[in-house]
Structures are given as C-alpha cells and as structure tokens.
Amino acid sequence: MSDSSFRRDYLTKPLFRLAQRALPRLSATEREAIEAGDVWWDADLFTGNPDWTKLLAFAPARLSEEERQFLAGPVEELCRMVDDWKINWQWHDLPPEVWAFLKSRKFFAMIIPKQYGGLGFSHYAHSEVIRKLSTCSICASVTAMVPNSLGPGELLLQFGTKEQQDYWLPRLARGEEIPCFGLTSPEAGSDAASMVDTGVVCRGTFGGRECIGICLNWHKRYITLGPIATVLGLAFKLRDPDHLLGDRDDIGITLALVPTHLPGVSIGRRHLPAMLVFQNGPNWGHDVFIPVDYIIGGVGQAGKGWKMLMSALAAGRGISLPSLSAAGAAFCAHVTGAYACIREQFHVSIAKFEAIKERLGRIAATAYLLDAARRMTCAALDDGHHPAVVTAIMKGQATERMRVAVADAMDVHGGKAIMEGPLNYLGSLYRGVPIAITVEGANIVTRALIQFGQGAIRCHPYLLKEMQALEDADRARGLDAFDKAFWAHVGHSFVTAMRAWGRAWSGGLMAPAPGAGATTRYYRQLSRHAAAFALAVDLSLLTLGGALKRKEMISARFGDILSELYLSCAVLKRWNDEGRQNDDLPLVQYCLEASLATIEVRFDEIIANFPVRPAAWLLRFLIQPFGPRRRGPSDRVVDRCAALIVSPGAARDRLTVDLYHPPATETEHGVALLERAFALTAAVEPIRERMHAARVRDIDQAVQQRTITADEAARLKAAAEAVAAAVAVNDFAPEELAARGAGAGNKGDPSSPAISSTRPSTSDLPPQTQAAE
Ligand SMILES: Cc1cc2nc3c(=O)[nH]c(=O)nc-3n(C[C@H](O)[C@H](O)[C@H](O)COP(=O)(O)OP(=O)(O)OC[C@H]3O[C@@H](n4cnc5c(N)ncnc54)[C@H](O)[C@@H]3O)c2cc1C
C-alpha cells in the first residue's frame, strides 16, 4: 500500500464522513450563484499572501478616443438638456426630446456590440457615462442605466440564440424596443428564487400557427422602465406537466422575452420611487401564451434562469450602482467643499470650523476611495473577468459609503440642501440613496450573505474543491479529490497560521510590500491583515462549518474585512497609477487609516462573539494579542483632506474630474451659482486676508483707509453678490404647490390593473410637448 492510499483510507476517509456532515450544504440556487462569474483579486486576498506586483502591474482602465468623444459630445449635451427639478416635480417624466435623444444617440445600447448597431463600449466607458449623468440627474442616469444593466440586452448577449440576437439586439440598439426586467414580485424580493410566477408548457396558437409554448401567469412590481417597456424580460418557474419538452415536471426558473402588447399582459400604473420619477411600476400577466423559442437562449436554457441571472449580475453589479455612488461622492466633495468655503457664520467661513472639517475630510476621502475602486473594478471587467464577489463588495460598499457622504454633505449645507426647488442640488441624490441601497441585492443581505458567504466558498483556494468532492455522486472519485484538496488545505492552513502569527506579533514590520514610497507601510499592514483574515476564515469554517452560514453577524464582519482589504488595495493602486501625487497623500492616509481601524475592530468583534471559545482564544493569541490598536485617521490628516476641497487646485480637480459643470450663464442652476461664487470667493481671499489683518470688515471703509483699492472693492462686492445668490433657496406661492399635488395612489391590486400610466395634464407638460400637441 502506497503512502498516499494509506493516508486516503485511514486518515482521510473518516474525515470525509465528518466533513460531509459539517461543511455547508449548498442549495441549488446557492450553487448557481457561486458558479456564476469568476474570481480575481478577491482570490489573492483569500490566499492570505496577496501578490502586490500583480496588483500594481494590472493595467488601469482607459477610454478609447471614440468613448472620450461620446462623453464630451452626447453626454455633455444630454446633461444640458435635462432639468432635474422640472422632471421630478413638474413633469413627472423625462421630456419627449430627452427620450428621443437617449434613443437616437444610443444611450440604451452602450453594451450592445457595433455589429448589432450598438455603441459597443467598454465597461469603463459605460461607467463613465453613468457617472457623469448621475451628477446632473439621477432620473436620467437610472433611465440610461437600466437597459445596459441586468435585463434583456445583457441576457441576450450572454445567452441568446443567434436568431434572438439578430432580431432583438438591432431593435434594442435603435431604441425601437424599450426593455425592462421583471424578477421581483410582492412575495419574492431578496429571496427572488421563491417567486410564485408560473409558466406551464402547453400547446397553443401563436400568430396563427400551432406550436408548443408556455402559458404565463405573473405579478411583478418595482419594475424599472416597466410602464413604458415594449419587451419584458420575465423570470418565472417553468413546469412541464405533459412532458412536452422532456421528462421533468418542474423545470425551474426560466427567463423569457415577453412583448408587452400580447393579450393578457397588463402594464400597471406607476410607482414613485422616492419622488425620483424614472419610469417604474408593477405589471401582470394572465394566461399569456408565448412560443417556447421566446425562452432566452432557447429551450436548452429552460430551467437555467437563476444561473443566467447570477452570471449577468456578476458583472453588472460592479458598474451601475458603483458608478452612481462614485459620482455621488465626487459631487458631494465638489459642492460641499465649495459651499463650506463660501458660507460664513460667526464672521468666518464654515470651512474653518474643525467639526465641519471632520465631515469635509470624510467626504473627500470617500470620493477618492470610491473612484479608485470603481476604476479598478472596471479594469478587471474590461480584462474579461466577472468577479462576482468583487462586484458584490462594490455594490454594497459603494452605496453605503455614498450614503454617508451624502448625509455629511446635507449636514454641512444645513437648510440650503433641505429646501426643495431648482436651486437645491442635493435633494435628488439624498432621496436616491435608499434606492441604490435596495436594488441589485439589498445591502443588508448582500453584506450578510454574499460578500463573505459566497466569497469564502468562491475564493478560498481549497474549499470549493472540497465541497465538490464531498458532493460527488461517485464516492471513490470524491474521496480521491477530497484527499488531495484536504491535505493541501491543511498545509496551506499551517503556513497561513505561522504567517499570520509572525506578522501580527511583529506589527506587520516584516510583512511583504512593494517599494511604494510613503505608502509602503500600508502594503505591509494589508499583508498582515490578509494573512489574519485567511487564518480566521479557515478556523471559522473548521469549527462552525455549515453553521457559519446562519451566523450572519459573524459572516457580515468577515465581509467587512474582505471589503476593506479590497478597497484599500484600490486606493493604493490609484495613488500609484496616478504617479504618486504628493498632494493626494492625505487622502490615501485617511482611507488606509480608516480601513485598518475598521479591520482591527471587526477582528476584535469576531473574536469577542465567536461561539467556539477555544478557537476564539487561539485566534486572539495568533492575530490580535493586544486587541485593536488603530484609531483611524488623525485630526491632522482629516484637516489636510478637508483643505483639498475647500479651495481650487489640482487635487480638488482630480477628485471631481469629469463631473457635469452647468454653463456659468445658467442663473437658475444651483451648481452654476455655487461654482461662480466659489471661484470669485477664492479669488478675493488674499484681499479679505489683508482686510482681516487691518481689522476692517466694511468694504467701503477699507477703501477709505486704502487697505484695498476701488477695483478690489468691486471684486469683493461681486463675490458677495454671487455668494448671496448661491446660498439662496426657493420658495413657492400656495397656488403653485396646489397645482403640483400628486394624484391619489392606487394599491396596485392585480384584480383592477389600470393600463394607463399617470400622465401629466397638458398644462404640466414640458413646452416641447405642448407645442407638439
Ligand atoms: C426603485 C426600485 C427599482 C427596482 N427595479 C427593479 C427592476 O427593474 N426589476 C426587478 O425585478 N426588481 C426591481 N426592484 C426590486 C429590488 O430588486 C428589490 O426591492 C430588492 O430585491 C429587495 O426586495 P424587497 O424590496 O422586497 O425587500 P425584502 O426582500 O423584503 O427585504 C427587506 C430587508 O430584509 C433584508 N433581508 C432579506 N433577506 C435577508 C437575509 N437572509 N439576511 C439578512 N437580511 C435579509 C434585506 O436586505 C432588506 O433590508 C427595484 C426596487 C426598487 C426600490
């Protein structure tokens, strides 16, 4: 008997049986979610020993000349066309010319390849478009985002038959068809796989011909673009009781394209998502018959709907909402830095108050971090990866951090950001935050189950192999595979434990790091914590096994650590890729100090709450013998970050690059007024300092005393006027508000579906529509 067969038969076999009971069992939907997409830098972090040269050598995302021109041309033009206030509060829709522009300039076809008439943009270009649009109108941005996100276009591209692609993609590219995707129903939200919408395979007549088809019944809600869609991508559970397709009764979740004009389809009235009026509403189908070849990918893809969805989400989750969130944070940095500079209280610019600086510093660092992570993730996607765990991290973290940045921005603006009207530039973003938090996997469930739960299985060097071996129907083959994976795992765990211990006890001083100037020490700390993370994961899986899945608070904290590691890597990479800008160093320090503090606190919380106490004591001894030590960024770093956004400069420009800047001539646009006031205020700062030194506040008196010249006095007065215009808010006559009142709601009862969407009365319509009518 060879050594290896002795090991397999006498050591591995009993462990194999034990592990079959202990390791988490995967449900069919979990398995499909895990098998969707692939792994990337997340897998490196899970090894406990990330290869920094690989990270730094990874090429940053770049735009082609054509993509650049699209951003400078149609995107800029679209931004100038939209009036967010009127869209949300008066017209309750995008005006017709904006709809026409979106279609004709192919905003709905960014991901559709050129051969089908689309723009064929890279993921990065797609992200840049969404980012810029999000800084002028969330409504326009979501409208452009959805056809390029999870839905018919993406699904057809990945899974459609050639006939389906040839028919639908050119029509979608030309804007002749408006797509939406119906997954969520009243019963099934986060647990979408529990949907009760059905399709039954049967014979019927379609377009005058007899065929095998599907009789559909569904009730979906919250469907973006649903009220105006011409084609609905529908998720339902397919059954085949008469075995017309094969020998299975329950085929499972299936995706099909349903033209919305078919008999039995009801398009409901509109939801109003947080008063952001992008088209969204419920829809129903009653005995709608479609041929089986309307299944996306054809009959061969029947029952594979969940896997298809997860696969499409694996990429899409990393683009739409992270781009919107990065835009949100950058926009907050842009306007809040400017507003804090121009707004005075107690005769001082509020930007000088320490408590305001605390918020400004956080906003600036968040803007830097989110854009770093967005760019790095887009680069991975453009390189052909579909890293499902990374994109889940991006979705959850970007939206959460945007929430904090927007709340900080609101607080710094005070009443200015609360009073609605055309002069308010933060209200829409503030209302939009919960939408971003909820869609594409609500954040609580994303943090608790997806970021780490799937990450542990997906990215761990051996776990998935072990689980597959344990579930192998061929027991002998399974045992063989398990034997190999398990002992490699043991070796890996031993090395990881030694590594984590050594790095923790030496404070990370000896941990690997590239020569990266002032940031080298941060690489060392990340190497240290990656090893600790890998060890803690192994120990948790070993001691908790399948129970870890139900320990959502523990799992979520692991998810936070993995997220912090990923985002910190993105920050370090950005600093490196941008030529190690010295001015940006405080931002890097802020992000890394905050991340390292969070990582240490999360480890501490895991250890304190870990149910298997001896394992917790061992972990404490190995990775955190002295408890959490870091406190986050120092006041000095916070101060320097805040300073970057309260005065014009290259660092501020780098943070807020490529946002939409309304023309300075716009006298009704809050951002235009703010930018003008900011520029004038910053320019007169030296004059004001001179007056301050001379202890004179009154401009005319300063001229009389010859502290300043008459020309300087004029500039000061112009700046003061600009500031007054920028801090102004709107007010309304009671009649105006009465005219704007919303109609009575409808409960969306499927028994009384109203076919029409809420339409503005003619007098409320945008001028172009009135003219057309
Ligand atoms: C504006 C908007 C647009 C949308 N557009 C579309 C669309 O175009 N197509 C479409 O199909 N759907 C769409 N949705 C639906 C969206 O995907 C769902 O709202 C989302 O999946 C959450 O479902 P729910 O709202 O029913 O919340 P629920 O599922 O009821 O969740 C409530 C809370 O429980 C938490 N939770 C649930 N399960 C767990 C768990 N196991 N552990 C911990 N926490 C848990 C969630 O995180 C959430 O915080 C849209 C929603 C909105 C608001």
Side-chain angles (χ1 to χ4, degrees), residues 318-387:
I319 301 172
S320 310
L321 295 164
S323 307
L324 186 149
S325 305
F331 182 75
C332 286
H334 181 65
V335 295
T336 314
Y339 188 78
C341 167
I342 64 156
R343 176 68 174 162
E344 291 191 358
Q345 288 294 286
F346 306 100
H347 306 298
V348 182
S349 156
I350 61 168
K352 299 216 161 75
F353 297 128
E354 282 212 350
I356 292 282
K357 287 183 189 179
E358 195 176 16
R359 305 300 187 94
L360 294 173
R362 182 158 64 185
I363 295 172
T366 304
Y368 189 84
L369 177 143
L370 287 189
D371 219 44
R374 176 187 72 95
R375 292 186 211 175
M376 184 164 102
T377 307
C378 284
L381 294 169
D382 282 335
D383 198 45
H385 298 280
H386 286 78

Side-chain angles (χ1 to χ4, degrees), residues 7-25 463-487 490 542:
R7 183 183 79 182
R8 186 193 60 210
D9 295 340
Y10 292 96
L11 289 175
T12 314
K13 212 176 207 169
L15 289 167
F16 185 72
R17 278 193 224 109
L18 196 72
Q20 274 182 320
R21 286 196 295 274
L23 268 182
R25 289 253 142 205
L463 186 61
L464 187 56
K465 287 182 199 144
E466 287 163 347
M467 290 173 75
Q468 283 164 343
L470 288 169
E471 291 179 8
D472 197 329
D474 181 337
R475 215 177 130 74
R477 188 177 59 194
L479 181 61
D480 251 356
F482 183 78
D483 181 69
K484 285 196 191 77
F486 177 78
W487 291 106
V490 169
L542 184 72

Side-chain angles (χ1 to χ4, degrees), residues 184 189-190 222 317 321 395-396 399-400 402-403 431-446:
T184 306
S190 303
Y222 302 163
R317 229 186 324 225
L321 295 164
K395 192 273 154 179
T399 52
E400 286 297 339
M402 167 179 67
R403 162 150 65 186
R431 290 194 307 283
V433 166
I435 299 175
I437 299 281
T438 301
V439 299
E440 292 194 359
N443 277 8
I444 296 179
V445 73
T446 299

Side-chain angles (χ1 to χ4, degrees), residues 502-503 506-513 524:
R503 290 179 188 175
S506 63
L509 285 178
M510 314 298 277
R524 291 199 200 290

Side-chain angles (χ1 to χ4, degrees), residues 413-673:
H413 278 78
K416 163 73 187 164
I418 293 167
M419 299 310 158
E420 281 297 355
L423 295 176
N424 185 332
Y425 40 80
L426 276 170
S428 292
L429 186 57
Y430 181 72
R431 290 194 307 283
V433 166
I435 299 175
I437 299 281
T438 301
V439 299
E440 292 194 359
N443 277 8
I444 296 179
V445 73
T446 299
R447 175 173 177 251
L449 293 183
I450 304 176
Q451 287 170 350
F452 174 71
Q454 287 182 11
I457 301 172
R458 214 40 241 253
C459 306
H460 190 283
Y462 301 104
L463 186 61
L464 187 56
K465 287 182 199 144
E466 287 163 347
M467 290 173 75
Q468 283 164 343
L470 288 169
E471 291 179 8
D472 197 329
D474 181 337
R475 215 177 130 74
R477 188 177 59 194
L479 181 61
D480 251 356
F482 183 78
D483 181 69
K484 285 196 191 77
F486 177 78
W487 291 106
H489 189 163
V490 169
H492 166 78
S493 297
F494 181 75
V495 172
T496 303
M498 292 300 107
R499 192 180 275 147
W501 177 51
R503 290 179 188 175
W505 281 69
S506 63
L509 285 178
M510 314 298 277
T519 61
T520 303
R521 63 199 167 108
Y522 291 126
Y523 287 90
R524 291 199 200 290
Q525 289 306 315
L526 294 182
S527 289
R528 167 191 172 179
H529 289 308
F533 174 72
L535 175 67
V537 170
D538 262 357
L539 212 54
S540 307
L541 290 168
L542 184 72
T543 52
L544 293 179
L548 184 56
K549 198 163 99 178
R550 290 182 296 280
K551 289 264 158 223
E552 286 192 352
M553 288 196 246
I554 299 274
S555 184
R557 291 180 184 115
F558 274 123
D560 289 348
I561 296 172
L562 180 63
S563 302
E564 296 290 348
L565 289 172
Y566 180 77
L567 298 174
S568 296
C569 291
V571 167
L572 293 175
K573 180 163 168 58
R574 174 176 179 177
W575 192 68
N576 201 61
D577 289 346
E578 287 186 336
R580 303 185 181 181
Q581 300 293 330
N582 211 33
D583 286 351
D584 295 350
L585 203 50
L587 298 168
V588 177
Q589 288 166 335
Y590 188 117
C591 296
L592 267 292
E593 293 295 343
S595 268
L596 293 171
T598 304
I599 290 172
E600 293 196 1
V601 170
R602 291 293 177 271
F603 273 133
D604 188 51
E605 291 168 353
I606 290 170
I607 293 168
N609 294 287
F610 202 75
V612 184
R613 295 315 298 158
W617 299 326
L618 179 63
L619 210 51
R620 168 77 71 205
F621 172 77
L622 289 174
I623 67 168
Q624 215 181 51
F626 311 112
R629 313 280 293 170
R630 289 191 179 257
R631 301 186 182 89
S634 67
D635 291 356
R636 199 168 143 266
V637 166
V638 173
D639 193 278
R640 291 175 64 197
C641 290
L644 291 180
I645 57 169
V646 295
S647 52
R652 183 181 146 91
D653 290 348
R654 270 193 297 279
L655 268 189
T656 59
V657 68
D658 289 337
L659 304 183
Y660 172 60
H661 300 282
T665 47
E666 288 242 16
T667 52
E668 290 291 315
H669 199 300
V671 177
L673 295 173

